[in-house]
Each structure stands twice: as structure tokens, then as C-alpha cells.
Amino acid sequence: MSGLFRRREWLTTHPVKPRYDVVIIGGGGHGLAAAYYLAKNHGITDVAVLERSYIGSGGSGRNTTVLRANYKVPESIAFYKASFDLYRGLSQELDINLLRSPRGMLSLAHSEPSLRSQQDRALVNQALGVDTVFLDADGVREVCPQIDIACGGKRPVLGAAWHPPGAVIRHDAVVWGYAAAAQRLGAHIHQGTPVTGITVENGRCAGVQTPAGPVGAGAVLSAVGGYVSRIGRMAGVRLPVVSHPLQAYVTEPYKPILDRIVASADLLVYVSQSARGELLVGAEIERYASYSTSSTYTFLSEASKRVLDLFPWMGPLKILRQWTGICDMTPDYSPLMGKTELESFFLDAGTGTWGFKATPICGLTMAELIATGKVPPLIEPFRLSRFWEGHAVSERASAGTH
């Protein structure tokens, strides 16, 4: 029987070297993906990933696992479609079962403005090669009969944008898959190693400071999600980012009943069912700025009230657990990616509530930029300078449909 099993080494511990070709701050999906693609696509293996806690302890482990490409503006659609396509073959590439499960996603409309918005979404998606169609209320009922179309008599469902490829995936498996693959190619992953400062010499980023001492680098990438403003301050780089909490919860397991992802921008709630039977409920960001990951009863009660309008049969279910992540929100709800005014200091930030969906493409494009010095076309619209150049990429209309 022993021949049927492989012995696999996941993470090994290395001493922190005094210098690396590339230092990546943040051991979430984005940072680990960048390390992997630097090695795989560009042969750069002298890479350190510095994580202050354990890998996946930030936004990568606190999201709601939804994958989609049905965004609203051409720049975002191209970006997230590329990431969605990479996710399709990621299990095979990383040699790990990521438990990707196609579900299809409904973006509901309960008002005339939302109805027009979802119709526009479907048309723009179709024009750019993303499988999204508009459904009227009868079509929604056919695709997902579990929904109360009358919505408790309060805000009936008028229609929806239907995105058949929408899927869910195991977020912890994505993190560990990238970590193990990057390590196999030579990267060092240092958990429990916070960055306490950025070293600047002659106008360029020359490395980072850690409790173990200074670490020199040819390039430094910040991939820390909602904590990017702290790293930016260390580097002397001002960022148009405000960090907000984003909460979610799951119920006790229930028999398989909901094989769709259902989101409502009007109700600011979305629902899916996990492979373990838990009903997962999420909402929009909290309106206050905070780094706190404490969960609140206000969120629990308000989200539950709204979700019961859509799925009254969920009423008897008990809440199993709730959690909070921190989202790095930009004024236009689009990413901040690429070079900064500090030479050799690179930025992977601003993906807000959609960071997990962008994991593969962020890693791929940032690795290309660091290795070649050329900005990949997919992330050029998300440059930091767009805000003072007057070229915002407004994706705010997708809020509430994570």
C-alpha cells in the first residue's frame, strides 16, 4: 500500500539570508504566487517571502472563495478574466487538489436602476468574451428555484445577470499550493518574520528591516492586502487607500440545496453553500475604516435579515462561526499595481474585496514586471499615477457582488 502514497514536504525553515534578489512582503496568495512565477517563468529563484504571521493569515484566509470574471469596465474584465482562466488549470499546474467547483453566479436586481446595470453588465461581458447573460424574473426562478422571487414582499427580484462560469475554490489550498510550488523552485518562505522598516539608499529601495536584522534586496514587492498603507509609510510612498473590515459568516451544515452563488447589490448580501454544507453569507465592506478583525453582532443581524428575504428556509439554521478580513479600498475600487516613485519598490495592492479572485494574475504580472522592468498591458491601467493623471478605472458598480 505504501507505493500508492507520495511523501510531500510542504514548508521547510531556512535562516533569513542577509540579501536576496527579490524580497516579497506578505505571505498570502499574491506574494506566494509572485514568488512562484518569478521562479517558474523567469528563473529568479533567490526570493524571500516575509510573512509576519503564518501564510494565508490575512485576506487570503478570510475571504469567501468566489471566483468570477463578470466585472463592469473593460480594464477590470480583461484583468479578472485572465485570472479566472489561470484558476481553471491551477490544480494541475501546482499539483494539488484545489477543490474548484463551478456553480454559476446570479447578480440580482431589485430596482429599475439595478436592472439596467445588470443588463449593461451582461452586454459588456459578452462583447469582451465573458459568458454572462441577462435573465428576467422567470429566468432567475428557473436557474435558482430556491430563491423567493417576491423577496418577502419587500423588494421583489426583477431580473439578474447570470454568469454560468462562476465558481468557488478552497482558499487555503490555493495558498499552500503556491507556497509549496514556490519552495520547490527555490524560494525561501519565512513565517513569523515581520517587516519593521524599508531601507532606502540613494533614492531606491535597497531592502527591508526585520527583527532578525536588515535584509538587502534588488527589488521589494509589497503584497500585504489591507495593511499596505503601513508598508507605504515605511517606504515614504503615499497611497490613496483606506482599509475597511469585510465580514462574513457560515451556518451549521445543511443538506446540499444551493448549487449557485447568489448576490444582490440592492440588498448588499451574497450567499453560497460550501462543500461541507455550510451556507456562507457575506456583505459589503463596513463603512468605517479600521484594521480590526473583530466580528460584530450588527453585521450578523443585518446580513441575516436581508438574506432571509431571499432564502426564508434558512431561518432555522444556527450560525456556526463568523470572521472579518481587512480590505484595501481605492477611490475607484480598482487595484494599485506596478512601479512607485521609489525605485525598485513595487506595489500589488488595492484589490479590495476582490483580492482572492486576482491571485494568479497578480502574481503572474508582478513577476513579469519585476523580472523584465516592463509593465504588462493588463496592469498598466491600474498604475498608481492614474489618480493624478485623471484616468481612474471606476469599478464601484460591482460593489456588493463579491
Side-chain angles (χ1 to χ4, degrees):
M1 290 292 291
S2 60
L4 297 177
F5 300 96
R6 292 179 299 167
R7 181 178 296 276
R8 174 174 288 186
E9 183 176 47
W10 289 100
L11 290 184
T12 57
T13 301
H14 302 275
V16 179
K17 298 196 307 181
R19 181 176 177 81
Y20 292 88
D21 288 343
V22 180
V23 166
I24 298 172
I25 310 171
H30 287 215
L32 295 166
Y36 168 71
Y37 291 116
L38 278 166
K40 175 179 177 286
N41 293 351
H42 305 284
I44 300 175
T45 59
D46 188 28
V47 177
V49 179
L50 306 183
E51 168 53 51
R52 66 174 184 169
S53 183
Y54 56 89
I55 62 170
S57 59
S60 295
R62 296 171 180 269
N63 66 85
T64 49
T65 75
V66 175
L67 304 181
R68 65 183 179 94
N70 61 337
Y71 286 77
K72 297 296 291 293
V73 299
E75 298 90 342
S76 297
I77 293 170
F79 180 72
Y80 287 100
K81 180 180 184 297
S83 198
F84 190 90
D85 290 343
L86 286 169
Y87 263 123
R88 291 181 191 272
L90 199 58
S91 285
Q92 291 77 17
E93 181 170 349
L94 301 182
D95 191 23
I96 181 174
N97 185 1
L98 301 179
L99 299 178
R100 181 177 175 274
S101 175
R103 300 290 184 85
M105 180 174 181
L106 284 164
S107 299
L108 304 179
H110 304 258
S111 64
E112 287 299 328
S114 289
L115 197 67
R116 290 192 293 271
S117 178
Q118 300 307 341
Q119 289 171 330
D120 290 345
R121 180 199 296 268
L123 291 172
V124 173
N125 280 202
Q126 292 168 22
L128 297 175
V130 173
D131 184 7
T132 306
V133 297
F134 178 76
L135 303 177
D136 60 15
D138 288 338
V140 172
R141 185 183 289 108
E142 182 177 347
V143 166
C144 188
Q146 298 87 351
I147 294 177
D148 176 7
I149 297 296
C151 205
K154 299 174 183 177
R155 304 184 74 178
V157 175
L158 304 181
W162 167 234
H163 181 49
V168 295
I169 198 168
R170 278 294 298 266
H171 49 76
D172 53 342
V174 172
V175 169
W176 279 92
Y178 271 123
Q183 181 180 259
R184 289 196 296 270
L185 295 174
H188 286 188
I189 299 169
H190 301 289
Q191 301 182 89
T193 307
V195 168
T196 57
I198 302 293
T199 304
V200 179
E201 297 176 356
N202 301 317
R204 68 174 296 274
C205 182
V208 301
Q209 302 290 327
T210 76
V215 180
V220 174
L221 168 63
S222 174
V224 296
Y227 302 95
V228 66
S229 295
R230 294 178 174 178
I231 301 298
R233 281 195 294 272
M234 294 178 189
V237 176
R238 294 184 63 188
L239 301 174
V241 171
V242 179
S243 294
H244 292 264
L246 179 69
Q247 301 192 54
Y249 71 78
V250 293
T251 70
E252 62 184 332
Y254 192 67
K255 64 183 180 181
I257 188 171
L258 185 63
D259 58 353
R260 307 299 186 201
I261 305 160
V262 179
S264 170
D266 288 304
L267 300 182
L268 291 177
V269 71
Y270 58 102
V271 189
S272 64
Q273 187 170 23
S274 76
R276 292 178 296 196
E278 302 157 338
L279 274 299
L280 185 155
V281 177
E284 174 63 320
I285 57 171
E286 300 297 336
R287 296 306 176 185
Y288 53 86
S290 176
Y291 290 121
S292 173
T293 55
S294 297
S295 300
T296 66
Y297 177 74
T298 300
F299 158 76
L300 194 66
S301 59
E302 289 297 319
S304 296
K305 180 174 66 176
R306 296 193 295 269
V307 81
L308 287 174
D309 287 340
L310 285 173
F311 301 108
W313 47 266
M314 288 178 59
L317 297 179
K318 296 179 175 64
I319 305 300
L320 184 63
R321 65 184 182 276
Q322 64 183 117
W323 65 93
T324 302
I326 305 300
C327 298
D328 43 340
M329 308 304 298
T330 61
D332 60 2
Y333 276 49
S334 288
L336 287 177
M337 299 189 66
K339 301 177 181 179
T340 68
E341 63 261 37
L342 179 60
E343 184 182 349
S344 301
F345 179 70
F346 299 88
L347 196 63
D348 174 357
T351 44
T353 63
W354 306 315
F356 179 66
K357 301 166 184 62
T359 297
I361 197 60
C362 283
L364 184 76
T365 53
M366 292 309 301
E368 181 181 343
L369 172 58
I370 292 168
T372 67
K374 299 178 181 178
V375 179
L378 272 179
I379 64 171
E380 196 278 334
F382 305 127
R383 62 193 181 277
L384 175 59
S385 63
R386 72 181 184 270
F387 290 107
W388 55 83
E389 295 169 350
H391 295 296
V393 184
S394 181
E395 198 47 80
R396 196 179 184 98
S398 284
T401 54
H402 305 297

